[in-house]
Amino acid sequence: MVLRQIGYKIVIAVVLAFSGFYLLQRGDPLELWSEQWCLAFGDAEKVVQEIELKYGVEIKYDVTEKTIPELWRNPPSNGTAEPLARIHLCRHIQNLSLELKKYPADILKRNLSTIYLFSSLSFYGVQYGGTSLVSSIYLTGGSKGEGYSDTYIATLLHHEMSSIFYRAYQFPKEAWSSINPANFHYAESDGQVLEAMAKGDAPSNNEILYHGGFLSKYGHSTLENDFNSYAEMAFTHPQQLRSLSEKYPSVRQKAELTKNFYIGISKNFSIDY
């Protein structure tokens, strides 16, 4: 039985190798071979089952546009979505498994029910890397050549997980806002928020941002998005956040509020910066 399974997987690997030949001409050969091998031998389904058993979190990937809530598909958001190509599934599943280990299991069971994986999400005519609603997270994925590195996927997860916590627990909004420059105001209208988010990746003077307590222009959009940027850095680049905290007082204050917020949710969080 074991020998048959191994032989079957080898056949799959060979088929994938030849079927992916055209793709190899267009993308990074090493990455595509790696993802094909992972798809054949990585046993993504087993990892999905382990995640559900340990955390009570479902990972859904064979999804269509109808998977996103009808509220989002209707005007004015006019949400659209495309399913994730299976060639990228194994790497993303394994990456999510590693990142979920950074959370206490009981906290995930209480706050996160489902993670949906797509190749694209669009709302208000703007491409989204991810979003969340109640206890569900919607993430996009793809090849490393398209920008979907393991670090980027991890950043998306922690970003959206922090939004779930922001809504579910008492966040210190007044203390956070008091750190901002005296004349600063977050975006107020939906249009202003979208505009601020669209400018999030634009070149900027980081020194000015850091002195003001912001890690990126994206943090100018809303208080929640500002917090998201701290949470994602705390989980994916803690040394960088530590370095910025040592140099910029406003960053240090927000970093401390971020750390205390998570510790307030559970003392079992291990956030070191």
Side-chain angles (χ1 to χ4, degrees):
M1 184 68 175
V2 174
L3 291 177
R4 285 187 178 183
Q5 289 179 341
I6 292 175
Y8 178 66
K9 288 187 174 183
I10 290 175
V11 171
I12 292 177
V14 172
V15 171
L16 284 172
F18 282 100
S19 66
F21 180 77
Y22 175 67
L23 291 176
L24 288 173
Q25 312 311 308
R26 306 188 322 178
D28 177 8
L30 180 60
E31 177 192 353
L32 288 169
W33 276 109
S34 175
E35 291 189 333
Q36 289 167 348
W37 189 265
C38 185
L39 183 62
F41 292 95
D43 207 351
E45 284 289 348
K46 180 180 179 181
V47 179
V48 168
Q49 293 171 6
E50 290 173 349
I51 290 174
E52 184 170 2
L53 181 63
K54 183 175 181 179
Y55 306 112
V57 176
E58 289 186 87
I59 308 290
K60 296 189 176 181
Y61 46 87
D62 286 328
V63 291
T64 65
E65 187 172 293
K66 292 184 179 180
T67 304
I68 62 177
E70 185 176 1
L71 171 68
W72 290 351
R73 300 199 306 270
N74 294 335
S77 57
N78 298 313
T80 63
E82 295 291 337
L84 178 69
R86 292 188 69 90
I87 189 66
H88 306 304
L89 177 63
C90 182
R91 179 170 64 89
H92 293 332
I93 292 295
Q94 292 181 343
N95 192 24
L96 288 174
S97 178
L98 289 174
E99 295 302 318
L100 288 172
K101 291 177 181 178
K102 297 179 181 180
Y103 296 84
D106 63 316
I107 296 300
L108 287 178
K109 288 180 179 179
R110 195 179 309 157
N111 292 279
L112 181 62
S113 61
T114 313
I115 297 176
Y116 296 93
L117 297 176
F118 300 89
S119 66
S120 70
L121 283 171
S122 175
F123 303 101
Y124 302 97
V126 177
Q127 290 294 319
Y128 277 53
T131 189
S132 64
L133 181 67
V134 191
S135 62
S136 294
I137 288 178
Y138 303 77
L139 302 177
T140 58
S143 69
K144 292 180 180 179
E146 295 171 312
Y148 292 99
S149 66
D150 291 346
T151 299
Y152 179 71
I153 297 298
T155 296
L156 290 179
L157 172 67
H158 299 305
H159 181 112
E160 299 306 334
M161 198 67 234
S162 68
S163 280
I164 289 179
F165 291 145
Y166 179 89
R167 295 190 297 264
Y169 298 90
Q170 191 67 37
F171 188 81
K173 297 179 182 179
E174 291 186 8
W176 188 280
S177 296
S178 69
I179 300 169
N180 294 332
N183 60 345
F184 174 81
H185 298 284
Y186 292 109
E188 297 179 356
S189 68
D190 290 342
Q192 290 175 333
V193 170
L194 288 173
E195 182 180 358
M197 290 172 63
K199 293 180 179 178
D201 294 328
S204 59
N205 187 321
N206 288 340
E207 284 289 321
I208 294 177
L209 285 172
Y210 296 153
H211 276 296
F214 300 97
L215 300 179
S216 68
K217 280 188 176 180
Y218 179 84
H220 286 174
S221 56
T222 67
L223 192 156
E224 180 180 346
N225 287 340
D226 191 8
F227 163 60
N228 292 155
S229 65
Y230 274 83
E232 64 188 45
M233 186 177 286
F235 281 95
T236 59
H237 297 95
Q239 293 182 344
Q240 182 182 357
L241 185 54
R242 182 187 305 116
S243 178
L244 292 173
S245 297
E246 292 172 351
K247 187 174 181 180
Y248 303 98
S250 293
V251 172
R252 181 176 65 252
Q253 292 176 61
K254 286 187 176 180
E256 283 301 310
L257 284 178
T258 299
K259 183 175 182 177
N260 292 336
F261 176 65
Y262 277 94
I263 297 301
I265 295 173
S266 173
K267 293 182 179 180
N268 291 322
F269 270 109
S270 179
I271 300 179
D272 183 23
Y273 55 78

PDB file of all heavy atoms in Angstrom, residues 24-48:
ATOM      1  N   LEU A  24       7.500  27.066 -16.925  1.00  0.00           N
ATOM      2  CA  LEU A  24       8.906  27.278 -16.601  1.00  0.00           C
ATOM      3  C   LEU A  24       9.549  28.293 -17.532  1.00  0.00           C
ATOM      4  O   LEU A  24      10.502  28.971 -17.163  1.00  0.00           O
ATOM      5  CB  LEU A  24       9.659  25.951 -16.688  1.00  0.00           C
ATOM      6  CG  LEU A  24       9.375  24.938 -15.571  1.00  0.00           C
ATOM      7  CD1 LEU A  24      10.067  23.625 -15.903  1.00  0.00           C
ATOM      8  CD2 LEU A  24       9.845  25.454 -14.234  1.00  0.00           C
ATOM      9  N   GLN A  25       9.020  28.393 -18.739  1.00  0.00           N
ATOM     10  CA  GLN A  25       9.575  29.364 -19.660  1.00  0.00           C
ATOM     11  C   GLN A  25       9.208  30.791 -19.259  1.00  0.00           C
ATOM     12  O   GLN A  25       9.844  31.743 -19.683  1.00  0.00           O
ATOM     13  CB  GLN A  25       9.052  29.086 -21.089  1.00  0.00           C
ATOM     14  CG  GLN A  25       9.156  27.625 -21.531  1.00  0.00           C
ATOM     15  CD  GLN A  25      10.526  27.039 -21.290  1.00  0.00           C
ATOM     16  OE1 GLN A  25      11.525  27.603 -21.705  1.00  0.00           O
ATOM     17  NE2 GLN A  25      10.584  25.904 -20.607  1.00  0.00           N
ATOM     18  N   ARG A  26       8.151  30.938 -18.447  1.00  0.00           N
ATOM     19  CA  ARG A  26       7.655  32.265 -18.114  1.00  0.00           C
ATOM     20  C   ARG A  26       8.014  32.701 -16.708  1.00  0.00           C
ATOM     21  O   ARG A  26       8.024  33.884 -16.417  1.00  0.00           O
ATOM     22  CB  ARG A  26       6.113  32.289 -18.248  1.00  0.00           C
ATOM     23  CG  ARG A  26       5.625  31.825 -19.594  1.00  0.00           C
ATOM     24  CD  ARG A  26       4.150  32.051 -19.762  1.00  0.00           C
ATOM     25  NE  ARG A  26       3.407  31.795 -18.539  1.00  0.00           N
ATOM     26  CZ  ARG A  26       2.088  31.965 -18.436  1.00  0.00           C
ATOM     27  NH1 ARG A  26       1.402  32.381 -19.474  1.00  0.00           N
ATOM     28  NH2 ARG A  26       1.478  31.716 -17.304  1.00  0.00           N
ATOM     29  N   GLY A  27       8.283  31.779 -15.819  1.00  0.00           N
ATOM     30  CA  GLY A  27       8.534  32.140 -14.433  1.00  0.00           C
ATOM     31  C   GLY A  27       9.893  31.675 -13.952  1.00  0.00           C
ATOM     32  O   GLY A  27      10.754  31.273 -14.734  1.00  0.00           O
ATOM     33  N   ASP A  28      10.094  31.726 -12.645  1.00  0.00           N
ATOM     34  CA  ASP A  28      11.339  31.277 -12.031  1.00  0.00           C
ATOM     35  C   ASP A  28      11.346  29.751 -12.022  1.00  0.00           C
ATOM     36  O   ASP A  28      10.517  29.124 -11.351  1.00  0.00           O
ATOM     37  CB  ASP A  28      11.417  31.831 -10.609  1.00  0.00           C
ATOM     38  CG  ASP A  28      12.650  31.344  -9.876  1.00  0.00           C
ATOM     39  OD1 ASP A  28      13.513  30.712 -10.521  1.00  0.00           O
ATOM     40  OD2 ASP A  28      12.751  31.595  -8.663  1.00  0.00           O
ATOM     41  N   PRO A  29      12.252  29.091 -12.748  1.00  0.00           N
ATOM     42  CA  PRO A  29      12.252  27.627 -12.824  1.00  0.00           C
ATOM     43  C   PRO A  29      12.342  26.957 -11.464  1.00  0.00           C
ATOM     44  O   PRO A  29      11.623  26.000 -11.187  1.00  0.00           O
ATOM     45  CB  PRO A  29      13.489  27.328 -13.681  1.00  0.00           C
ATOM     46  CG  PRO A  29      13.685  28.563 -14.501  1.00  0.00           C
ATOM     47  CD  PRO A  29      13.278  29.696 -13.595  1.00  0.00           C
ATOM     48  N   LEU A  30      13.227  27.462 -10.597  1.00  0.00           N
ATOM     49  CA  LEU A  30      13.418  26.838  -9.282  1.00  0.00           C
ATOM     50  C   LEU A  30      12.137  26.904  -8.463  1.00  0.00           C
ATOM     51  O   LEU A  30      11.744  25.931  -7.823  1.00  0.00           O
ATOM     52  CB  LEU A  30      14.558  27.540  -8.533  1.00  0.00           C
ATOM     53  CG  LEU A  30      14.875  26.982  -7.136  1.00  0.00           C
ATOM     54  CD1 LEU A  30      15.270  25.516  -7.236  1.00  0.00           C
ATOM     55  CD2 LEU A  30      15.984  27.797  -6.485  1.00  0.00           C
ATOM     56  N   GLU A  31      11.479  28.059  -8.513  1.00  0.00           N
ATOM     57  CA  GLU A  31      10.244  28.219  -7.737  1.00  0.00           C
ATOM     58  C   GLU A  31       9.156  27.296  -8.254  1.00  0.00           C
ATOM     59  O   GLU A  31       8.471  26.622  -7.483  1.00  0.00           O
ATOM     60  CB  GLU A  31       9.754  29.668  -7.816  1.00  0.00           C
ATOM     61  CG  GLU A  31       8.429  29.879  -7.078  1.00  0.00           C
ATOM     62  CD  GLU A  31       7.785  31.221  -7.372  1.00  0.00           C
ATOM     63  OE1 GLU A  31       8.423  32.050  -8.040  1.00  0.00           O
ATOM     64  OE2 GLU A  31       6.641  31.420  -6.938  1.00  0.00           O
ATOM     65  N   LEU A  32       8.985  27.230  -9.561  1.00  0.00           N
ATOM     66  CA  LEU A  32       7.918  26.403 -10.123  1.00  0.00           C
ATOM     67  C   LEU A  32       8.159  24.920  -9.888  1.00  0.00           C
ATOM     68  O   LEU A  32       7.239  24.181  -9.568  1.00  0.00           O
ATOM     69  CB  LEU A  32       7.781  26.695 -11.619  1.00  0.00           C
ATOM     70  CG  LEU A  32       7.165  28.069 -11.948  1.00  0.00           C
ATOM     71  CD1 LEU A  32       7.316  28.378 -13.422  1.00  0.00           C
ATOM     72  CD2 LEU A  32       5.694  28.093 -11.549  1.00  0.00           C
ATOM     73  N   TRP A  33       9.416  24.479 -10.042  1.00  0.00           N
ATOM     74  CA  TRP A  33       9.727  23.081  -9.748  1.00  0.00           C
ATOM     75  C   TRP A  33       9.457  22.779  -8.281  1.00  0.00           C
ATOM     76  O   TRP A  33       8.929  21.721  -7.937  1.00  0.00           O
ATOM     77  CB  TRP A  33      11.185  22.778 -10.079  1.00  0.00           C
ATOM     78  CG  TRP A  33      11.433  22.457 -11.520  1.00  0.00           C
ATOM     79  CD1 TRP A  33      12.079  23.228 -12.436  1.00  0.00           C
ATOM     80  CD2 TRP A  33      10.999  21.289 -12.219  1.00  0.00           C
ATOM     81  NE1 TRP A  33      12.094  22.621 -13.653  1.00  0.00           N
ATOM     82  CE2 TRP A  33      11.444  21.427 -13.557  1.00  0.00           C
ATOM     83  CE3 TRP A  33      10.299  20.151 -11.853  1.00  0.00           C
ATOM     84  CZ2 TRP A  33      11.199  20.453 -14.533  1.00  0.00           C
ATOM     85  CZ3 TRP A  33      10.063  19.180 -12.818  1.00  0.00           C
ATOM     86  CH2 TRP A  33      10.504  19.336 -14.139  1.00  0.00           C
ATOM     87  N   SER A  34       9.825  23.716  -7.414  1.00  0.00           N
ATOM     88  CA  SER A  34       9.622  23.536  -5.981  1.00  0.00           C
ATOM     89  C   SER A  34       8.146  23.411  -5.657  1.00  0.00           C
ATOM     90  O   SER A  34       7.728  22.558  -4.867  1.00  0.00           O
ATOM     91  CB  SER A  34      10.239  24.711  -5.215  1.00  0.00           C
ATOM     92  OG  SER A  34       9.962  24.616  -3.838  1.00  0.00           O
ATOM     93  N   GLU A  35       7.326  24.263  -6.259  1.00  0.00           N
ATOM     94  CA  GLU A  35       5.893  24.239  -5.973  1.00  0.00           C
ATOM     95  C   GLU A  35       5.239  22.985  -6.557  1.00  0.00           C
ATOM     96  O   GLU A  35       4.324  22.418  -5.956  1.00  0.00           O
ATOM     97  CB  GLU A  35       5.239  25.510  -6.501  1.00  0.00           C
ATOM     98  CG  GLU A  35       5.667  26.748  -5.721  1.00  0.00           C
ATOM     99  CD  GLU A  35       4.872  27.987  -6.096  1.00  0.00           C
ATOM    100  OE1 GLU A  35       4.380  28.059  -7.233  1.00  0.00           O
ATOM    101  OE2 GLU A  35       4.751  28.881  -5.238  1.00  0.00           O
ATOM    102  N   GLN A  36       5.695  22.545  -7.720  1.00  0.00           N
ATOM    103  CA  GLN A  36       5.166  21.308  -8.296  1.00  0.00           C
ATOM    104  C   GLN A  36       5.517  20.110  -7.414  1.00  0.00           C
ATOM    105  O   GLN A  36       4.701  19.216  -7.188  1.00  0.00           O
ATOM    106  CB  GLN A  36       5.726  21.116  -9.712  1.00  0.00           C
ATOM    107  CG  GLN A  36       5.150  22.104 -10.714  1.00  0.00           C
ATOM    108  CD  GLN A  36       5.920  22.127 -12.014  1.00  0.00           C
ATOM    109  OE1 GLN A  36       7.015  21.565 -12.094  1.00  0.00           O
ATOM    110  NE2 GLN A  36       5.373  22.763 -13.027  1.00  0.00           N
ATOM    111  N   TRP A  37       6.747  20.088  -6.935  1.00  0.00           N
ATOM    112  CA  TRP A  37       7.183  19.000  -6.053  1.00  0.00           C
ATOM    113  C   TRP A  37       6.393  19.020  -4.748  1.00  0.00           C
ATOM    114  O   TRP A  37       5.980  17.987  -4.240  1.00  0.00           O
ATOM    115  CB  TRP A  37       8.676  19.152  -5.782  1.00  0.00           C
ATOM    116  CG  TRP A  37       9.266  17.967  -5.062  1.00  0.00           C
ATOM    117  CD1 TRP A  37       9.462  17.831  -3.723  1.00  0.00           C
ATOM    118  CD2 TRP A  37       9.727  16.755  -5.658  1.00  0.00           C
ATOM    119  NE1 TRP A  37      10.024  16.612  -3.449  1.00  0.00           N
ATOM    120  CE2 TRP A  37      10.193  15.928  -4.616  1.00  0.00           C
ATOM    121  CE3 TRP A  37       9.795  16.298  -6.973  1.00  0.00           C
ATOM    122  CZ2 TRP A  37      10.715  14.671  -4.861  1.00  0.00           C
ATOM    123  CZ3 TRP A  37      10.316  15.037  -7.203  1.00  0.00           C
ATOM    124  CH2 TRP A  37      10.770  14.242  -6.147  1.00  0.00           C
ATOM    125  N   CYS A  38       6.185  20.222  -4.208  1.00  0.00           N
ATOM    126  CA  CYS A  38       5.422  20.364  -2.969  1.00  0.00           C
ATOM    127  C   CYS A  38       3.995  19.897  -3.155  1.00  0.00           C
ATOM    128  O   CYS A  38       3.418  19.233  -2.293  1.00  0.00           O
ATOM    129  CB  CYS A  38       5.455  21.836  -2.518  1.00  0.00           C
ATOM    130  SG  CYS A  38       4.666  22.149  -0.924  1.00  0.00           S
ATOM    131  N   LEU A  39       3.411  20.234  -4.309  1.00  0.00           N
ATOM    132  CA  LEU A  39       2.038  19.834  -4.580  1.00  0.00           C
ATOM    133  C   LEU A  39       1.910  18.319  -4.628  1.00  0.00           C
ATOM    134  O   LEU A  39       0.931  17.741  -4.156  1.00  0.00           O
ATOM    135  CB  LEU A  39       1.576  20.452  -5.908  1.00  0.00           C
ATOM    136  CG  LEU A  39       0.121  20.198  -6.316  1.00  0.00           C
ATOM    137  CD1 LEU A  39      -0.829  20.790  -5.285  1.00  0.00           C
ATOM    138  CD2 LEU A  39      -0.162  20.785  -7.690  1.00  0.00           C
ATOM    139  N   ALA A  40       2.928  17.651  -5.183  1.00  0.00           N
ATOM    140  CA  ALA A  40       2.879  16.205  -5.316  1.00  0.00           C
ATOM    141  C   ALA A  40       3.210  15.479  -4.025  1.00  0.00           C
ATOM    142  O   ALA A  40       2.625  14.454  -3.707  1.00  0.00           O
ATOM    143  CB  ALA A  40       3.850  15.765  -6.420  1.00  0.00           C
ATOM    144  N   PHE A  41       4.165  16.008  -3.245  1.00  0.00           N
ATOM    145  CA  PHE A  41       4.674  15.301  -2.083  1.00  0.00           C
ATOM    146  C   PHE A  41       4.383  15.980  -0.744  1.00  0.00           C
ATOM    147  O   PHE A  41       4.610  15.396   0.306  1.00  0.00           O
ATOM    148  CB  PHE A  41       6.198  15.119  -2.212  1.00  0.00           C
ATOM    149  CG  PHE A  41       6.595  14.194  -3.310  1.00  0.00           C
ATOM    150  CD1 PHE A  41       6.919  14.687  -4.557  1.00  0.00           C
ATOM    151  CD2 PHE A  41       6.624  12.829  -3.104  1.00  0.00           C
ATOM    152  CE1 PHE A  41       7.291  13.839  -5.581  1.00  0.00           C
ATOM    153  CE2 PHE A  41       6.991  11.972  -4.124  1.00  0.00           C
ATOM    154  CZ  PHE A  41       7.325  12.474  -5.370  1.00  0.00           C
ATOM    155  N   GLY A  42       3.935  17.229  -0.778  1.00  0.00           N
ATOM    156  CA  GLY A  42       3.795  17.987   0.461  1.00  0.00           C
ATOM    157  C   GLY A  42       2.601  17.631   1.310  1.00  0.00           C
ATOM    158  O   GLY A  42       2.545  17.962   2.485  1.00  0.00           O
ATOM    159  N   ASP A  43       1.612  16.955   0.694  1.00  0.00           N
ATOM    160  CA  ASP A  43       0.431  16.529   1.436  1.00  0.00           C
ATOM    161  C   ASP A  43      -0.252  17.711   2.114  1.00  0.00           C
ATOM    162  O   ASP A  43      -0.415  17.749   3.341  1.00  0.00           O
ATOM    163  CB  ASP A  43       0.817  15.464   2.470  1.00  0.00           C
ATOM    164  CG  ASP A  43      -0.366  14.547   2.784  1.00  0.00           C
ATOM    165  OD1 ASP A  43      -1.477  14.860   2.325  1.00  0.00           O
ATOM    166  OD2 ASP A  43      -0.170  13.550   3.488  1.00  0.00           O
ATOM    167  N   ALA A  44      -0.646  18.693   1.308  1.00  0.00           N
ATOM    168  CA  ALA A  44      -1.291  19.895   1.831  1.00  0.00           C
ATOM    169  C   ALA A  44      -2.575  19.570   2.583  1.00  0.00           C
ATOM    170  O   ALA A  44      -2.888  20.199   3.594  1.00  0.00           O
ATOM    171  CB  ALA A  44      -1.581  20.866   0.686  1.00  0.00           C
ATOM    172  N   GLU A  45      -3.310  18.572   2.095  1.00  0.00           N
ATOM    173  CA  GLU A  45      -4.570  18.204   2.749  1.00  0.00           C
ATOM    174  C   GLU A  45      -4.335  17.775   4.200  1.00  0.00           C
ATOM    175  O   GLU A  45      -5.122  18.104   5.088  1.00  0.00           O
ATOM    176  CB  GLU A  45      -5.266  17.082   1.981  1.00  0.00           C
ATOM    177  CG  GLU A  45      -5.949  17.529   0.708  1.00  0.00           C
ATOM    178  CD  GLU A  45      -7.186  18.362   0.988  1.00  0.00           C
ATOM    179  OE1 GLU A  45      -7.625  18.383   2.147  1.00  0.00           O
ATOM    180  OE2 GLU A  45      -7.695  18.995   0.057  1.00  0.00           O
ATOM    181  N   LYS A  46      -3.244  17.058   4.425  1.00  0.00           N
ATOM    182  CA  LYS A  46      -2.931  16.616   5.782  1.00  0.00           C
ATOM    183  C   LYS A  46      -2.656  17.811   6.681  1.00  0.00           C
ATOM    184  O   LYS A  46      -3.107  17.853   7.836  1.00  0.00           O
ATOM    185  CB  LYS A  46      -1.723  15.680   5.764  1.00  0.00           C
ATOM    186  CG  LYS A  46      -1.325  15.159   7.141  1.00  0.00           C
ATOM    187  CD  LYS A  46      -0.123  14.237   7.048  1.00  0.00           C
ATOM    188  CE  LYS A  46       0.288  13.738   8.431  1.00  0.00           C
ATOM    189  NZ  LYS A  46       1.475  12.842   8.369  1.00  0.00           N
ATOM    190  N   VAL A  47      -1.927  18.804   6.169  1.00  0.00           N
ATOM    191  CA  VAL A  47      -1.630  20.002   6.952  1.00  0.00           C
ATOM    192  C   VAL A  47      -2.909  20.780   7.245  1.00  0.00           C
ATOM    193  O   VAL A  47      -3.107  21.288   8.353  1.00  0.00           O
ATOM    194  CB  VAL A  47      -0.621  20.907   6.210  1.00  0.00           C
ATOM    195  CG1 VAL A  47      -0.331  22.172   7.023  1.00  0.00           C
ATOM    196  CG2 VAL A  47       0.675  20.151   5.945  1.00  0.00           C
ATOM    197  N   VAL A  48      -3.798  20.847   6.260  1.00  0.00           N
ATOM    198  CA  VAL A  48      -5.091  21.516   6.457  1.00  0.00           C
ATOM    199  C   VAL A  48      -5.868  20.847   7.587  1.00  0.00           C
ATOM    200  O   VAL A  48      -6.449  21.518   8.448  1.00  0.00           O
ATOM    201  CB  VAL A  48      -5.919  21.495   5.152  1.00  0.00           C
ATOM    202  CG1 VAL A  48      -7.356  21.906   5.417  1.00  0.00           C
ATOM    203  CG2 VAL A  48      -5.293  22.428   4.119  1.00  0.00           C
TER     204      VAL A  48
END
